Amino acid sequence: MDDAVLREVIAPNQSKIVLMVLDGLGGLPHPETRRTELETADIPHLDRLAAESACGLTIPVAPGVTPGSGPGHLALFGYDPVRYNIGRGALEAVGIEFPLEPSDVAARGNFCTVDESGVITDRRAGRIPTERCVELCTLLREIDLPGAVALIEPVREHRFVLVLRGEGLSDDLAPLGTDPQHEGLRPVPVEARSAEAEPTARLFNEWIVKANALIKDKYPANAVLVRGFAKYPDLPSMQSRFGLNPAAIAIYPMYRGLAKLAGMQILTTGGTFEDEIATLREHWHEFDFFFVHYKKTDAAGEDGDFQRKVHALQEFDAHLPKVLDLKPDVLMIAGDHSTPAVMAAHSWHPVPFLLHAKLTRADQTDAFNEPSCQKGGLGTFPAREALQLALAHAGRFTKYGA
Amino acid sequence: MDDAVLREVIAPNQSKIVLMVLDGLGGLPHPETRRTELETADIPHLDRLAAESACGLTIPVAPGVTPGSGPGHLALFGYDPVRYNIGRGALEAVGIEFPLEPSDVAARGNFCTVDESGVITDRRAGRIPTERCVELCTLLREIDLPGAVALIEPVREHRFVLVLRGEGLSDDLAPLGTDPQHEGLRPVPVEARSAEAEPTARLFNEWIVKANALIKDKYPANAVLVRGFAKYPDLPSMQSRFGLNPAAIAIYPMYRGLAKLAGMQILTTGGTFEDEIATLREHWHEFDFFFVHYKKTDAAGEDGDFQRKVHALQEFDAHLPKVLDLKPDVLMIAGDHSTPAVMAAHSWHPVPFLLHAKLTRADQTDAFNEPSCQKGGLGTFPAREALQLALAHAGRFTKYGA
């Protein structure tokens, strides 16, 4: 929605909105049964809710475009994911809750394996254990640079975050960085896309030379690849845009980081979905918007495990009554993108969506799945419009124009 | 889709995409049977394909807008037809494969009939035979202009192309040109829309005075009307935008011209649809995108001949298995616009569309016609999004954002 329209209609009240995101929710039919994960799962609470709700399918970014987690979530938080395109380095830093400062430039790092001639033989260094990554990062912290500080944090397996902190740094660097994207090639130097960014490119290149020298005997993690240079993205908060007092409940750091970018308060929670629901109930009176993230659907989809995704959906469904008991004014059940088990990857297919509120117009859906939502009253619509529908149903929009 | 998103996600591969355009595909119900041309036709192959495909309806330009062939096709080639609006003169020049130079200004010309007082009595001069048009154009080539050359090419019947070639010409001229659009009125002078275009307007007006003097005794073609002034449109090619190596198979010059604008290689073919399919099969290994144009549906629709349009659909259907045999990774069956026989004209009605590929999400369509496609999983969507859906299904898009 046009920002000018939004500013004119926003009218906060005391209503409560819950956005439940089942990561990678959408699917494709199993080749044998011709039924999707949602059609296969026994999800009585979701089906009943669908019958009482307005349903539809969301397009995360644009028709045909497969989103990463960043754009997929930002759209559901009410941001245009193209206008607010977040660089990989910043997303990775945000994902480990690294306190990025506005002048920092963050990059995503990989440990990789190179042969004696410097050619990459494994871009992920055989996915070394996280403990090994921690050790290597400690070693890399020794590196000194002229006029800047290099901060290194391990992420998981072969992945780390590299942050340059100093004066006048620029993130106008070629985003693929030193990673040639294919094995059998040599790393390339970091390249500035403008004269202004040249000193920053030199600093990154100097750091890389020193890092490779330090770990050259640490096979299989005997070199680094660095890419996705980005400063901290400056998003207007959900408070200022939508007049909400929002909180996030998520187990994985990446989703907490994304929620924080949008200005959400991050609530401490345990390691299970049951813990997340308990956290929601505990903080129910403190906030008016809750984002609850459910990861298992995506993880199973990415692994190509159809049955595990079906079970993940059923587990979600079993816990749903505890959310309904809270009687939110608006409840959205959504996905950041599809992750069909038959593809074992994120996909572009529109994602089932449901909005439950007092004033939704009934449609003819009586089940929560892809073909049913395709016939839903909300139609197939951009995911970034979901929050404005929620705000409307929560009575948080006044009339536009006289 | 935003060009920045496109640049980020494009990832060419070896897949093959076929776009078959049935010109004027969409229709309206026959007043007696209440069935459209597609519903009336016996098209078993299209119906079976629809059952295995994602179906929908395309909106060529905007809801309610009836497109000409130019915008209708450019949208299907993945271009926003409003942003890339091609002037009629350039389209006509492109349609006869006239080698327009970047500084040329092209216009569409009509021979018309005027009475002794200069009032138009027939805007098309009784559709004189093409041979007569050729003779008259030869005569008009005698005209000299100060500081510019006027190039004239016959098109068909009363239509010709006029191209001014010279320094500093502008196409910022009132697009209706000298044509008052109705009989019983006099031609009007060419009008500049900016000071910069005034010399060009004067040149066109001088040419028109001289042309009318030359043919004043050639009743019924005793005057000219000139309109649609336009320079050669500078479209980014499908190669650069989409990473495709595209080819076009079309019998009529207009469609070959449009395909060439988008950077397609134009393949030589015969005069029948059977020839076109043979050409497709012959060049199958040389290109990764094929546009195949089928004209008969539109011609019958324009003539208001419902039964002939039904037969044209059946003829297309009969040849379809030879395309399916090639096993394209993505096959689109589309139309550039509707041409309902009951209107005997192009119309604004959304156009049946089908996309067949491995990873399409099944929908509940089991026939290829207007009411069936309206229930399809792709919904009613802008035609310019069709190609990005095809690219996604062909695996030619990477993930957007992390």
Side-chain angles (χ1 to χ4, degrees):
Chain A
M1 167 157 57
D2 195 286
D3 283 0
V5 178
L6 189 59
R7 273 193 299 274
E8 188 166 329
V9 299
I10 277 291
N13 63 16
Q14 299 302 309
S15 61
K16 291 201 187 281
I17 300 173
V18 175
L19 167 67
M20 310 210 61
V21 177
L22 291 93
D23 207 301
L25 172 61
L28 282 172
H30 191 284
E32 279 165 28
T33 64
R34 293 176 171 260
R35 295 168 71 81
T36 68
E37 298 90 324
L38 275 167
E39 286 179 285
T40 307
D42 182 24
I43 46 172
H45 303 112
L46 280 167
D47 286 343
R48 196 173 319 133
L49 194 63
E52 297 165 4
S53 301
C55 294
L57 293 170
T58 55
I59 298 174
V61 174
V65 173
T66 296
S69 301
H73 277 85
L74 286 182
L76 292 172
F77 299 163
Y79 296 83
D80 178 343
V82 174
R83 178 164 165 199
Y84 299 104
N85 181 17
I86 298 171
R88 181 77 206 211
L91 205 60
E92 203 83 4
V94 152
I96 57 166
E97 297 174 72
F98 184 98
L100 270 189
E101 294 184 3
S103 57
D104 292 349
V105 175
R108 166 172 174 168
N110 268 20
F111 289 106
C112 69
T113 311
V114 294
D115 65 18
E116 57 289 345
S117 69
V119 165
I120 301 166
T121 56
D122 185 340
R123 287 169 62 238
R124 297 181 182 86
R127 293 189 184 272
I128 50 167
T130 303
E131 307 80 66
R132 185 75 182 134
C133 179
V134 172
E135 287 167 30
L136 291 166
C137 286
T138 307
L139 200 59
L140 296 182
R141 291 200 181 110
E142 289 172 16
I143 298 171
D144 275 328
L145 290 178
V149 179
L151 305 161
I152 298 103
E153 286 296 332
V155 177
R156 218 163 70 95
E157 297 176 339
H158 56 290
R159 286 156 47 203
F160 63 92
V161 167
L162 164 62
V163 174
L164 288 197
R165 179 165 292 172
E167 298 268 302
L169 297 176
S170 163
D171 61 358
D172 194 15
L173 304 166
L176 292 180
T178 69
D179 187 348
Q181 298 287 305
H182 292 284
E183 276 130 22
L185 298 171
R186 279 165 219 281
V188 296
V190 175
E191 206 181 307
R193 292 197 294 194
S194 60
E196 177 207 64
E198 275 167 20
T200 312
R202 276 196 297 274
L203 284 170
F204 272 111
N205 283 320
E206 182 172 339
W207 185 88
I208 290 161
V209 168
K210 290 180 170 172
N212 287 342
L214 273 174
I215 63 172
K216 68 174 192 299
D217 299 327
K218 307 292 183 188
Y219 180 90
N222 61 1
V224 295
L225 294 172
V226 176
R227 62 186 162 110
F229 311 94
K231 292 196 173 189
Y232 189 79
D234 192 18
L235 267 67
S237 70
M238 291 178 79
Q239 288 88 335
S240 65
R241 287 194 81 191
F242 305 120
L244 290 168
N245 177 24
I249 303 169
I251 296 168
Y252 286 74
M254 164 75 95
Y255 310 98
R256 290 202 294 265
L258 282 165
K260 204 173 159 195
L261 279 180
M264 291 188 221
Q265 175 87 31
I266 312 303
L267 303 182
T268 305
T269 191
T272 69
F273 187 49
E274 201 160 357
D275 293 333
E276 291 185 273
I277 303 283
T279 304
L280 173 68
R281 297 176 68 95
E282 199 175 316
H283 294 272
W284 186 245
H285 298 291
E286 295 166 47
F287 301 93
D288 54 19
F289 177 93
F290 294 89
F291 153 54
V292 183
H293 183 258
Y294 182 67
K295 178 69 181 173
K296 285 188 179 175
T297 32
D298 181 61
E302 290 251 27
D303 287 347
D305 192 333
F306 195 96
Q307 269 314 313
R308 210 172 93 224
K309 189 166 171 196
V310 167
H311 288 139
L313 291 166
Q314 293 178 171
E315 182 189 332
F316 179 93
D317 189 76
H319 289 287
L320 190 57
K322 284 179 279 180
V323 178
L324 299 175
D325 280 353
L326 292 167
K327 301 195 189 311
D329 296 283
V330 177
L331 172 62
M332 289 180 278
I333 309 283
D336 54 342
H337 52 76
S338 293
T339 305
V342 298
M343 290 177 70
H346 291 197
S347 85
W348 64 88
H349 300 89
V351 191
F353 177 85
L354 161 170
L355 189 148
H356 187 256
K358 208 166 52 189
L359 295 174
T360 47
R361 189 179 275 167
D363 58 24
Q364 276 138 40
T365 49
D366 55 1
F368 189 65
N369 58 50
E370 294 81 0
S372 174
C373 287
Q374 188 247 305
K375 292 180 289 182
L378 300 177
T380 298
F381 67 100
R384 65 175 182 276
E385 295 175 356
L387 186 68
Q388 71 199 52
L389 285 177
L391 291 165
H393 283 89
R396 285 169 172 268
F397 277 173
T398 58
K399 200 155 61 175
Y400 178 71
Chain B
M1 167 156 58
D2 195 285
D3 283 359
V5 177
L6 189 60
R7 274 194 298 275
E8 186 167 330
V9 299
I10 277 291
N13 64 15
Q14 300 301 310
S15 60
K16 292 202 187 275
I17 300 173
V18 175
L19 167 67
M20 310 212 59
V21 177
L22 292 92
D23 206 301
L25 173 61
L28 282 172
H30 191 283
E32 281 164 28
T33 64
R34 294 177 172 262
R35 294 168 72 80
T36 67
E37 298 90 324
L38 275 167
E39 286 179 284
T40 307
D42 182 23
I43 45 172
H45 303 111
L46 280 167
D47 287 343
R48 195 172 319 134
L49 194 63
E52 297 165 5
S53 302
C55 296
L57 293 172
T58 55
I59 298 174
V61 175
V65 174
T66 297
S69 301
H73 277 84
L74 286 182
L76 292 172
F77 299 163
Y79 297 82
D80 179 341
V82 174
R83 178 166 165 198
Y84 299 103
N85 181 21
I86 298 172
R88 182 74 206 212
L91 204 59
E92 203 82 6
V94 153
I96 57 166
E97 296 173 71
F98 183 98
L100 269 189
E101 295 185 2
S103 57
D104 291 349
V105 175
R108 167 173 170 165
N110 268 20
F111 290 106
C112 68
T113 311
V114 294
D115 66 18
E116 56 289 345
S117 69
V119 165
I120 301 166
T121 57
D122 185 340
R123 287 169 62 239
R124 296 182 184 85
R127 292 188 186 271
I128 50 167
T130 302
E131 307 80 67
R132 183 77 182 133
C133 179
V134 172
E135 285 166 31
L136 291 167
C137 285
T138 307
L139 200 60
L140 296 182
R141 291 202 181 108
E142 290 174 16
I143 298 172
D144 275 329
L145 289 177
V149 179
L151 305 161
I152 298 102
E153 285 296 332
V155 178
R156 218 164 69 94
E157 298 177 339
H158 56 289
R159 286 155 49 202
F160 64 91
V161 167
L162 163 62
V163 174
L164 288 197
R165 179 164 291 172
E167 298 268 303
L169 297 175
S170 165
D171 62 357
D172 193 15
L173 304 166
L176 291 181
T178 68
D179 187 347
Q181 298 289 306
H182 292 285
E183 276 130 20
L185 298 171
R186 278 166 219 282
V188 295
V190 175
E191 205 181 308
R193 292 195 296 193
S194 60
E196 179 206 61
E198 275 167 19
T200 313
R202 275 195 298 275
L203 284 170
F204 272 112
N205 283 320
E206 182 173 338
W207 184 88
I208 290 161
V209 168
K210 289 180 172 172
N212 287 342
L214 274 175
I215 64 171
K216 66 177 195 299
D217 300 327
K218 307 292 182 187
Y219 180 90
N222 61 1
V224 295
L225 293 172
V226 175
R227 62 186 162 107
F229 311 94
K231 292 196 174 191
Y232 189 78
D234 192 18
L235 265 67
S237 71
M238 290 179 79
Q239 287 89 333
S240 65
R241 287 194 80 191
F242 305 119
L244 290 168
N245 177 23
I249 303 169
I251 296 169
Y252 286 74
M254 164 76 93
Y255 309 99
R256 290 203 294 264
L258 282 165
K260 204 173 160 195
L261 280 180
M264 291 187 221
Q265 174 90 29
I266 311 304
L267 302 181
T268 306
T269 192
T272 68
F273 187 50
E274 201 159 358
D275 293 332
E276 290 186 274
I277 303 283
T279 303
L280 173 68
R281 297 176 68 95
E282 198 176 316
H283 292 271
W284 185 244
H285 297 290
E286 295 166 47
F287 301 92
D288 54 19
F289 176 94
F290 294 89
F291 153 55
V292 183
H293 183 258
Y294 183 67
K295 178 69 181 171
K296 286 187 179 175
T297 32
D298 181 61
E302 290 250 27
D303 288 347
D305 192 333
F306 195 96
Q307 268 315 313
R308 210 173 91 225
K309 189 167 171 197
V310 168
H311 288 138
L313 291 166
Q314 292 179 172
E315 182 189 333
F316 179 93
D317 189 76
H319 288 288
L320 189 57
K322 284 179 280 183
V323 178
L324 299 175
D325 279 352
L326 293 167
K327 299 196 191 310
D329 296 283
V330 177
L331 172 62
M332 291 180 277
I333 308 283
D336 54 342
H337 53 74
S338 294
T339 306
V342 298
M343 291 176 69
H346 291 198
S347 84
W348 63 90
H349 301 89
V351 190
F353 177 85
L354 161 170
L355 189 148
H356 187 257
K358 210 166 50 187
L359 295 172
T360 47
R361 192 178 271 167
D363 58 25
Q364 276 137 38
T365 49
D366 55 1
F368 190 66
N369 57 50
E370 295 80 359
S372 175
C373 287
Q374 188 248 304
K375 290 179 290 182
L378 300 177
T380 299
F381 68 100
R384 65 176 182 276
E385 293 174 357
L387 185 67
Q388 72 199 55
L389 285 177
L391 291 166
H393 283 89
R396 286 170 172 267
F397 278 173
T398 58
K399 202 155 65 171
Y400 177 70

